[in-house]
DNA sequence: CTCTCCTGTCATTCC
DNA sequence: AAGGAATGACAGGAG
């Protein structure tokens, strides 16, 4: 039931967004499967914030080091882990890890405010890709971390000082019988309030100590700076190729070896082919695994995926400029096969040839350039006719015309395929068919999903400008409260260490507690003085503004030892112990004047409940009322002889105080949820863009390989002679590749039938 | 004056 | 059953 509810509330929303991003059918699937854990986290809630747990138990058992299950810190932890995992999972199967990052506990809280939130909120992509994604470890969500820990000052600063007029309404809501709050009570209450204002000068506790900003957490630049030299096939050598060599090449299904001959104007086709040649050894390295089989050792895959991931992150921010590096496959990368094409490689009896193509593919990835991104849309329409035509017009001429069509630049962008396609005799049989089908499917995908790079960029803009998702976290209360959290932690944690009375794990002893416990109930005279001071000063909104949104949780603070050493106080306008001072007996040597302002501050920090409590002469602080564990709270109540009205007020104060904190936490969680979603959207957008780029590159290389195979085919076929020394007619004969790699010269009709057969298989399979 | 945002509060549900 | 967390809804203050 719980999961269902959560799913329906948070999860469904996230899932919807994710689905819309993922699209209908994506080759992303292969990646998403590997992203399952993060995806599930996204769907079911990125953090514990969406899972209700037994906080009481947890809080009581975590014994001082407990991260509040709902705390933003835990959110940070999970978010960081999730994002990191997502990054890792982008290109490989995710191996869940259980390591706990040290930054979680020991991170400098201050760095968060400037380090992470502003960047994440305003410019969600401000940092480099690697930084951005690996950032969580460093500071993506640090501010929230500390916010989650510090909630102790909520009564000190988060409350706008009330005017006494509010009391009338609230008195009715106090839960006590209305008769309790009769006019005399109310009158007295208001009088007390007034007196409090006048006497606020006695409060001398606001130190206003300037807090030191903690050393900022610097985002560690995760960029490796590694450069992976693109491996370029050196197959452009213009050497004479004998028929035997051609056949050998074809048989070896390695048409792109060094010795492969290409027509002189091949350069016009592969305009982006780098001219540099590569060492033969490397070439062999690249090709050898392709010839051996499809199996891909996991370690190799792992390395490859890691490499891809790293390079991906680098290329992400540089966009397409560096993407050519991205796909310079390391030696032996049959993994590229699995990477994207393997699911779409139904080239049944041409396995080896296909692998060779992939090898070339990986080599040709270096050809990728931004301009290519315009290719898929253009070529998709032109390549489509190839599929049916391959099987039907096999008898059409195959020769010089096709050669010309193949090797002229128009071929590259597919325009030549428009005309050449129907005429192609499909000498390559199922190979090209399948490849074409794959390509077309990819193209279709690109079209139907709007994977046009331009559209992708538009999409990004759209998301960036989405008012619903883009939040300026630098202005968000969370970032504001983060500093306060650290500051408040200093006051409360230090005092809590001194207050051994409330040493239980859930004790929320703040400074007021220990002091209060020692001092006890303040005298009436003090109260009166404070009340006088209260009436003297008007409301100053600045204070409430600076002091609001304090999500501090005293219990968490007391449970975090490292915060005890944070000697900062960012509560510039907030009296660290406003409540305490109010209850403390007035210092005898209290000077009026300078102290008066502080008293005003203090008075304005007081919430309505505090005023009420004072008016009702509640003998302990609201902080205590709210934050004490139930047992201690009841114990406290039993110590005093309290009237029914007082008890009722106390319980109301406790209830409201608890609820106030809960509301703050709730809102914070909401905000975090939105930010998480925002971040997830960014990640998915990046993934999407990356996949789009990869797809474009794959298509491009595939096309190039097809052309090369075509040219080789024609080269070989053109050199074949019958027993009379005459060339074979392309309309009557065709070369066919057998499963064992041999090449046969068969009649065209037979080739037609086989091609048709192979064409149907994938179609049926796709249904 | 209106709108928006923030915050506190209440009611309710759930654990 | 009580305590409390979570959250939607509402109101009021402030800009």
């Amino acid at each position: 039931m719980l999961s269902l509810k959560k799913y329906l509330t948070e999860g469904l929303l996230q899932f919807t967004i994710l689905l819309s991003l993922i699209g209908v059918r994506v080759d992303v699937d292969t990646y998403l499967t590997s992203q399952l854990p993060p995806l599930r986290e996204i769907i079911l809630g990125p953090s514990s914030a969406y899972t209700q747990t037994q906080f009481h138990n947890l809080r009581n058992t975590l014994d001082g080091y407990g991260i509040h299950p709902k705390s933003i810190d835990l959110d940070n932890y999970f978010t960081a882990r999730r994002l990191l995992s997502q990054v890792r999972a982008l290109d490989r199967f995710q191996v869940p890890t259980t390591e706990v990052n040290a930054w979680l506990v020991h991170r400098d809280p201050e760095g968060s405010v400037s380090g992470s939130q502003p960047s994440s909120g305003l410019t969600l992509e401000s940092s480099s890709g690697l930084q951005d994604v690996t950032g969580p470890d460093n500071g993506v969500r640090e501010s929230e971390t500390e916010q989650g820990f510090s909630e102790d000052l909520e009564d000190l600063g988060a409350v706008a000082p009330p005017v006494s007029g509010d009391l009338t309404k609230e008195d009715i809501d106090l839960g006590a019988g209305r008769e309790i709050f009769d006019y005399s009570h109310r009158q007295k209450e208001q009088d007390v309030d007034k007196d409090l204002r006048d006497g606020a000068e006695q409060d001398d506790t606001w130190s206003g100590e300037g807090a030191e900003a903690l050393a900022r957490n610097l985002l560690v630049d995760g960029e490796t700076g590694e450069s992976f030299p693109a491996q370029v096939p050196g197959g452009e050598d213009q050497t004479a190729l004998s028929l035997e060599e051609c056949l050998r090449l074809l048989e070896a299904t390695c048409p792109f070896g060094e010795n492969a001959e290409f027509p002189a104007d091949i350069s016009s086709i592969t305009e982006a082919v780098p001219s540099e040649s590569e060492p033969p050894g490397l070439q062999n390295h690249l090709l050898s695994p392709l010839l051996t089989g499809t199996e891909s050792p996991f370690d190799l895959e792992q390395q490859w995926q890691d490499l891809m991931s790293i390079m991906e992150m680098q290329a992400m921010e540089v966009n397409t400029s560096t993407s050519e590096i991205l796909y310079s496959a390391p030696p032996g990368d049959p993994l590229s096969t699995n990477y994207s094409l393997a699911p779409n490689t139904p080239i049944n009896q041409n396995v080896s040839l296909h692998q060779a193509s992939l090898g070339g593919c990986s080599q040709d990835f270096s050809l990728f350039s931004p301009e290519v991104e315009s290719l898929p849309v253009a070529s998709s329409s032109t390549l489509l006719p190839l599929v049916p035509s391959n099987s039907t017009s096999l008898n059409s001429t195959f020769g010089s015309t096709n050669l010309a069509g193949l090797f002229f630049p128009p071929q590259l962008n597919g325009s030549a395929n428009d005309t050449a396609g129907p005429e192609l005799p499909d000498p390559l049989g199922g190979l090209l068919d399948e490849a074409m089908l794959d390509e077309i499917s990819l193209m279709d995908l690109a079209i139907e999903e709007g994977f046009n790079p331009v559209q992708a960029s538009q999409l990004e803009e759209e998301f960036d400008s989405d008012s619903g998702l883009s939040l300026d976290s630098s202005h968000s209360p969370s970032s504001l409260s983060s500093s306060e959290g650290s500051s408040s932690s200093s006051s409360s944690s230090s005092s809590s260490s001194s207050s051994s009375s409330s040493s239980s794990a859930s004790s929320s002893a703040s400074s007021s507690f220990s002091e209060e416990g020692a001092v006890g109930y303040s005298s009436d005279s003090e109260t009166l003085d404070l009340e006088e001071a209260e009436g003297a000063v008007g409301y100053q909104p600045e204070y409430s503004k600076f002091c609001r949104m304090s999500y501090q949780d005293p219990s968490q603070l007391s449970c975090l030892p490292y915060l005890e050493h944070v000697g900062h106080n960012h509560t510039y306008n907030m009296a660290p112990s406003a409540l305490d001072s109010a209850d403390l007996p007035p210092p005898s040597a209290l000077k009026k004047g300078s102290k008066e302002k502080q008293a005003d501050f203090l008075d304005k920090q007081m919430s309505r409940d505090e005023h009420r409590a004072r008016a009702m002469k509640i003998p302990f602080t609201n902080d205590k009322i709210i934050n004490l564990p139930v047992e201690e709270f009841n114990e406290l109540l039993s110590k005093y002889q309290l009237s029914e009205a007082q008890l009722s007020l106390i319980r109301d104060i406790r209830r409201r105080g608890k609820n106030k904190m809960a509301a703050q936490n709730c809102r914070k969680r909401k905000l975090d949820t939105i930010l998480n979603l925002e971040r997830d959207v960014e990640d998915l957008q990046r993934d999407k863009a990356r996949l789009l780029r990869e797809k474009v590159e794959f298509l491009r290389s595939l096309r190039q390989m097809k052309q090369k195979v075509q040219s080789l085919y024609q080269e070989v076929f053109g050199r074949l002679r019958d027993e009379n020394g005459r060339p074979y007619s392309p309309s009557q004969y065709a070369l066919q590749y057998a499963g064992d790699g041999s090449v046969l010269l068969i009649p065209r009709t037979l080739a037609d039938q086989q091609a048709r057969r192979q064409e149907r298989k994938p179609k049926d399979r796709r249904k």
Side-chain angles (χ1 to χ4, degrees):
Chain A
M1 291 300 287
L2 164 67
S3 61
L4 181 61
K5 179 201 171 194
K6 291 302 169 186
Y7 178 83
L8 289 177
T9 54
E10 300 289 346
L12 200 53
L13 170 63
Q14 298 174 344
F15 189 52
T16 305
I17 293 176
L18 291 176
L19 274 184
S20 68
L21 282 165
I22 293 167
V24 186
R25 56 178 275 274
V26 205
D27 34 359
V28 184
D29 290 346
T30 55
Y31 305 94
L32 288 182
T33 53
S34 63
Q35 286 182 331
L36 197 52
L39 197 61
R40 192 193 308 123
E41 267 185 12
I42 291 169
I43 292 172
L44 297 181
S47 74
S48 65
Y50 315 113
T51 55
Q52 294 189 351
T53 47
Q54 283 288 350
F55 310 103
H56 333 317
N57 299 341
L58 277 174
R59 185 185 290 192
N60 292 331
T61 54
L62 285 180
D63 216 10
Y65 282 84
I67 299 169
H68 194 288
K70 300 285 186 184
S71 84
I72 305 309
D73 181 78
L74 204 62
D75 268 24
N76 277 341
Y77 172 65
F78 282 113
T79 304
R81 265 194 59 191
R82 178 174 50 81
L83 291 179
L84 191 58
S85 303
Q86 188 174 2
V87 171
R88 287 175 175 160
L90 287 180
D91 296 300
R92 67 160 188 226
F93 296 106
Q94 184 187 16
V95 180
T97 59
T98 57
E99 85 237 35
V100 178
N101 298 320
W103 61 266
L104 182 66
V105 177
H106 298 290
R107 195 195 323 113
D108 187 341
E110 184 61 18
S112 65
V113 182
S114 63
S116 65
Q117 281 288 11
S119 66
S120 66
L122 271 174
T123 62
L124 298 164
E125 297 245 18
S126 61
S127 54
S128 71
L130 193 54
Q131 217 174 24
D132 208 8
V133 185
T134 58
D137 274 354
N138 301 323
V140 164
R141 317 210 43 204
E142 293 167 356
S143 65
E144 291 148 0
T145 303
E146 49 195 356
Q147 290 161 14
F149 290 138
S150 51
E151 309 228 0
D152 62 334
L153 289 184
E154 55 98 8
D155 268 339
L156 296 180
V159 185
V163 287
S164 53
D166 289 336
L167 288 172
T168 55
K169 179 204 169 196
E170 291 297 322
D171 290 346
I172 301 174
D173 297 333
L174 285 179
R178 193 178 284 219
E179 65 280 1
I180 297 172
F181 294 94
D182 57 2
Y183 175 74
S184 63
H185 268 101
R186 260 177 260 163
Q187 184 68 35
K188 185 176 180 181
E189 217 174 58
Q190 295 182 4
D191 292 341
V192 168
D193 285 349
K194 184 188 173 191
D195 293 339
L196 278 175
R197 292 191 197 94
D198 297 336
E201 61 197 17
Q202 300 175 1
D203 291 339
D204 188 23
T205 56
W206 185 65
S207 57
E209 55 207 67
E212 282 299 317
L214 291 176
R216 304 193 179 277
N217 242 356
L218 295 180
L219 279 176
V220 176
D221 186 358
E223 295 194 14
T224 61
E226 298 174 73
S227 64
F228 300 88
Q231 295 163 355
V232 180
E236 322 296 340
D237 297 359
Q238 305 290 321
T239 60
L241 185 69
S242 64
L243 174 57
E244 290 79 13
E245 286 173 309
C246 289
L247 284 173
R248 207 185 317 128
L249 279 173
L250 282 175
E251 287 172 3
T253 64
C254 176
F256 311 124
E258 290 181 14
N259 298 329
E261 178 193 73
F262 290 99
D265 44 354
I266 187 75
S267 60
S268 64
I269 299 174
T270 60
E271 76 286 355
V273 173
S275 59
E276 60 234 352
S277 60
E278 76 178 349
L282 184 53
Q283 174 79 20
N284 293 337
H285 246 80
L286 278 168
L287 291 175
S288 57
L290 304 175
L291 301 173
T292 55
T294 56
E295 63 270 7
S296 56
F298 182 72
D299 53 347
L300 272 181
E301 178 170 0
Q302 193 80 358
Q303 295 174 12
W304 164 246
Q305 310 273 14
D306 285 340
L307 182 59
M308 289 288 290
S309 181
I310 292 172
M311 299 162 98
E312 190 55 56
M313 290 304 108
Q314 290 176 334
M316 206 158 280
E317 293 304 318
V318 200
N319 281 332
T320 57
S321 59
T322 59
S323 59
E324 46 264 58
I325 304 174
L326 213 148
Y327 298 103
S328 60
D333 70 336
L335 310 162
S336 62
T337 315
N338 299 334
Y339 194 64
S340 169
L341 288 180
N344 301 329
T345 52
I347 308 173
N348 313 335
Q349 291 143 3
N350 297 295
V351 178
S352 56
L353 182 59
H354 175 63
Q355 288 164 350
S357 302
L358 288 173
C361 191
S362 66
Q363 297 164 8
D364 288 337
F365 284 160
S366 61
L367 307 179
F368 177 74
S369 62
E371 56 161 341
V372 191
E373 297 190 351
S374 62
L375 283 177
V377 176
S379 56
S380 62
S381 59
T382 60
L383 287 172
L384 269 165
L386 280 176
V387 181
S389 65
N390 280 339
S391 57
T392 55
S393 61
L394 289 174
N395 289 327
S396 54
T397 60
F398 173 75
S400 58
T401 57
N402 280 331
L403 271 173
L406 271 172
F407 299 133
F408 280 125
Q411 179 85 11
L412 183 59
N413 56 21
S415 61
N417 275 351
D418 237 343
T419 56
E423 300 173 353
L424 279 177
D426 190 29
L428 304 179
L431 166 63
L432 284 185
D433 269 353
E434 291 295 340
M436 288 296 186
L437 282 174
D438 293 335
E439 181 169 3
I440 287 159
S441 76
L442 287 173
M443 297 294 192
D444 292 343
L445 183 60
I447 292 173
E448 82 187 24
E449 293 187 13
F451 265 159
N452 186 315
V454 178
Q455 294 179 359
S457 63
Q458 289 174 350
L459 188 64
E460 286 195 22
E461 294 175 5
E462 175 184 332
F463 272 103
D464 287 343
S465 63
D466 187 351
S467 61
L469 283 176
S470 67
L471 293 179
D472 188 349
S473 66
S474 65
H475 297 157
S476 72
S478 58
S479 59
L480 174 62
S481 65
S482 61
S483 61
E484 298 173 9
S486 63
S487 64
S488 61
S489 68
S490 62
S491 62
S492 72
S493 60
S494 59
S495 61
S496 67
S497 62
S498 64
S499 68
S500 60
S501 63
S502 56
S503 62
S504 72
S506 64
S507 82
S508 53
S510 67
S511 59
S512 63
F513 275 46
S514 57
E515 296 168 10
E516 232 282 314
V519 171
Y521 178 53
S522 57
S523 65
D524 281 349
S525 63
E526 172 231 352
T527 306
L528 287 176
D529 286 341
L530 291 172
E531 286 160 356
E532 288 173 1
E534 182 178 25
V537 193
Y539 176 66
Q540 297 183 12
E542 299 86 9
Y543 303 131
S544 75
K545 167 158 188 158
F546 279 113
C547 300
R548 65 188 174 184
M549 281 299 289
S550 55
Y551 293 112
Q552 304 88 350
D553 185 350
S555 62
Q556 293 164 12
L557 285 167
S558 62
C559 295
L560 294 170
Y562 76 93
L563 284 179
E564 295 181 1
H565 307 294
V566 182
H568 307 140
N569 183 2
H570 295 275
T571 61
Y572 307 107
N573 297 296
M574 186 190 303
S577 56
L579 296 174
D580 313 326
S581 64
D583 291 328
L584 283 174
S588 57
L590 194 65
K591 289 188 244 171
K592 293 199 174 184
S594 66
K595 306 287 181 184
E596 206 165 325
K597 286 183 179 177
Q598 296 180 2
D600 297 343
F601 296 159
L602 299 176
D603 190 61
K604 287 174 188 57
Q605 310 303 331
M606 288 177 60
S607 66
R608 283 175 287 188
D609 275 340
E610 287 161 6
H611 285 287
R612 282 189 215 112
R614 189 160 302 171
M616 294 286 287
K617 296 184 170 53
I618 306 297
F620 26 80
T621 63
N622 284 24
D623 198 11
K624 224 170 185 175
I625 292 173
I626 295 169
N627 294 317
L628 271 185
V630 186
E631 300 82 18
E632 297 180 31
F633 175 66
N634 290 330
E635 197 177 332
L636 185 67
L637 289 185
S638 63
K639 285 181 186 172
Y640 298 90
Q641 287 287 344
L642 297 171
S643 69
E644 207 43 47
Q646 281 176 318
L647 286 176
S648 175
L649 176 61
I650 286 171
R651 299 199 183 281
D652 280 337
I653 287 171
R654 184 173 174 88
R655 175 179 52 81
R656 279 192 289 263
K658 295 271 186 196
N659 188 248
K660 189 169 119 185
M661 286 192 297
Q664 288 169 345
N665 287 332
C666 184
R667 283 163 181 148
K668 180 109 188 68
R669 263 192 303 277
K670 263 186 198 169
L671 187 63
D672 291 339
T673 302
I674 294 172
L675 292 176
N676 283 336
L677 282 172
E678 201 176 19
R679 229 164 268 129
D680 294 339
V681 167
E682 292 173 45
D683 294 340
L684 288 173
Q685 281 180 305
R686 274 196 289 267
D687 291 349
K688 196 174 175 180
R690 175 177 56 84
L691 292 173
L692 176 61
R693 288 197 300 271
E694 291 175 9
K695 184 168 61 181
V696 169
E697 294 178 34
F698 279 126
L699 293 180
R700 177 190 175 85
S701 59
L702 192 63
R703 195 159 40 242
Q704 289 174 347
M705 282 183 291
K706 286 175 193 169
Q707 292 167 1
K708 290 177 183 176
V709 172
Q710 283 273 17
S711 65
L712 278 175
Y713 177 92
Q714 294 167 15
E715 180 78 19
V716 171
F717 192 86
R719 293 177 186 237
L720 288 178
R721 295 293 183 272
D722 58 9
E723 57 274 10
N724 298 327
R726 290 174 299 188
Y728 287 101
S729 168
S731 59
Q732 296 175 359
Y733 292 96
L735 288 177
Q736 184 169 33
Y737 312 104
D740 58 357
S742 61
V743 180
L744 304 174
L745 186 68
I746 61 174
R748 176 63 70 182
T749 53
L750 192 59
D752 280 356
Q753 295 172 359
Q754 292 183 356
R756 244 180 250 124
R757 237 177 283 136
Q758 287 185 351
E759 185 183 336
R760 281 188 200 117
K761 285 179 187 175
K763 280 185 178 177
D764 295 340
R765 192 193 51 196
R766 284 163 198 270
K767 283 176 183 173

